[in-house]
Amino acid sequence: MTPPDTPEVAGGTAASTAADKVPTAMEDLPPTIHELQDYTEQKLRDYLDSAEPALEGLLESIHYTLFSGGKRIRPIFCFLVGELFNTLREKLTALACSLEMIHTSSLIMDDLPHMDNGTLRRGKRANHLVYGQDVASLASIALLAKAYELVLNDPGLTSEKKSIIVDKLVRTVGMQGMVGGQYADLKLLNDAADLAMLEFIHLHKTASLFIAAGETAAIAGDASDDEIRAIKSYAGHLGFAFQILDDLLDAVGKTCEVNKSLQHDRTNFVTLLGVERSKQLIEEHTGSAVEAIEIFGGRAARLVMLSQLLLRRKS
Ligand code: GRG
């Protein structure tokens, strides 16, 4: 199955450095997914550690959403891609946290009344309902700025890689990416609710950050162009499967299970295609994602596992 064209991205891969490779001894077996979540959580806390006392309220608003039980899927994906290229975890830490900050920034903004007007996120009141729209907006922007800052100040990446990676992240957030997808969702969907429009929206709103996570992690790991293409294809299919399942959970889930505001009145894959076809599409995209990484053989086992985990998620 072919995913729609990926959003425009710039730059290429940088040259390899053998010093960045991890040993492959048995005692260095890859950590579990749960451990990657904990690691990400701790590093996010470290990165946000020091703040001007006067800004305590802003920091509290940031913490409120950043540490409210997110699944950390994008950082996990980033680390698993790193494992594929034997990249030291430390070398991907800033990038992984940056991806989670971008994601969190988008959730806070998405919930604002003039956007999706969400009131519940991860079983808690939306950020703006606790801290006000003014503070929530600033928290969203601060997280975005912090995300770029992390990568730009990462001592583990060369200047060339920093600039390639930040360029990709900026484009992923901007008009060619999440902002463009959100605009289409808010302003175009109701007048042109067909499959092509829906695919455009979800490619830009959701899949683009998955693609960026995989691509930037692969670049940091000195992957070849073919390898990067394979990872991007996997990520695009994964992003679509993820979003269609999100729509399915929206359609058939209960608020108490999904833990966020449900969008029953919105056009989505399920309202357009029905429950059965949506389930089929999730399976198809997951299958295509796995196919895309066949070039890595058994080394990609944990990415295959990730796609299966996401297929079975309930929230
Ligand atoms: C400020 C970055 C930024 C973008 C502005 C608001 C906006 C444009 C885009 C909205 C993007 C958005 C919220 C897409 C939905 C993606 C999605 C399916 C989120 C749910 O992801 P999970 O399940 O969430 O990984 P958790 O709660 O586990 O973190």
Side-chain angles (χ1 to χ4, degrees), residues 163-175:
S163 118
I164 292 171
I165 289 173
V166 172
D167 178 63
K168 290 195 185 295
L169 295 179
V170 167
R171 286 166 190 259
T172 298
V173 169
M175 290 213 298

Side-chain angles (χ1 to χ4, degrees), residues 69-74 100 102-103 105-107 109-110 115 121-122 140 144 173 178-179 182 205-206 242-243 246 313 315:
K71 295 184 286 297
R72 315 302 189 201
I73 290 164
R74 295 145 192 88
E100 187 65 13
I102 292 173
H103 167 60
S105 163
S106 79
L107 296 181
M109 190 176 289
D110 193 46
M115 298 272 173
R121 173 73 62 186
R122 299 172 183 150
S140 172
L144 207 50
V173 169
M178 299 166 80
V179 167
Q182 182 79 348
K205 270 187 77 167
T206 304
F242 190 85
Q243 182 59 55
D246 225 58
R313 74 190 174 94
S315 69

Side-chain angles (χ1 to χ4, degrees), residues 90-168:
E90 290 67 27
K91 194 173 165 182
L92 292 175
T93 302
L95 174 59
C97 291
S98 163
L99 292 163
E100 187 65 13
M101 287 183 184
I102 292 173
H103 167 60
T104 309
S105 163
S106 79
L107 296 181
I108 296 173
M109 190 176 289
D110 193 46
D111 285 340
L112 287 169
H114 53 280
M115 298 272 173
D116 262 14
N117 197 17
T119 54
L120 194 69
R121 173 73 62 186
R122 299 172 183 150
K124 291 170 71 179
R125 288 200 301 153
N127 195 302
H128 63 273
L129 294 177
V130 179
Y131 297 96
Q133 291 181 46
D134 47 3
V135 177
S137 302
L138 293 173
S140 172
I141 297 170
L143 275 167
L144 207 50
K146 190 78 186 173
Y148 303 138
E149 184 191 319
L150 289 191
V151 177
L152 288 170
N153 288 293
D154 181 3
L157 294 171
T158 62
S159 304
E160 189 197 0
K161 283 199 175 162
K162 280 181 201 173
S163 118
I164 292 171
I165 289 173
V166 172
D167 178 63
K168 290 195 185 295

Side-chain angles (χ1 to χ4, degrees), residues 1-17:
M1 149 168 277
T2 317
D5 289 341
T6 51
E8 196 51 44
V9 284
T13 41
S16 294
T17 49

Side-chain angles (χ1 to χ4, degrees), residues 29 47 54 84 90 97 148 157 160 175 198 272 294 311:
L29 278 178
Y47 281 126
L84 199 55
E90 290 67 27
C97 291
Y148 303 138
L157 294 171
E160 189 197 0
M175 290 213 298
L198 211 55
L272 272 188
E294 272 172 2
L311 195 64

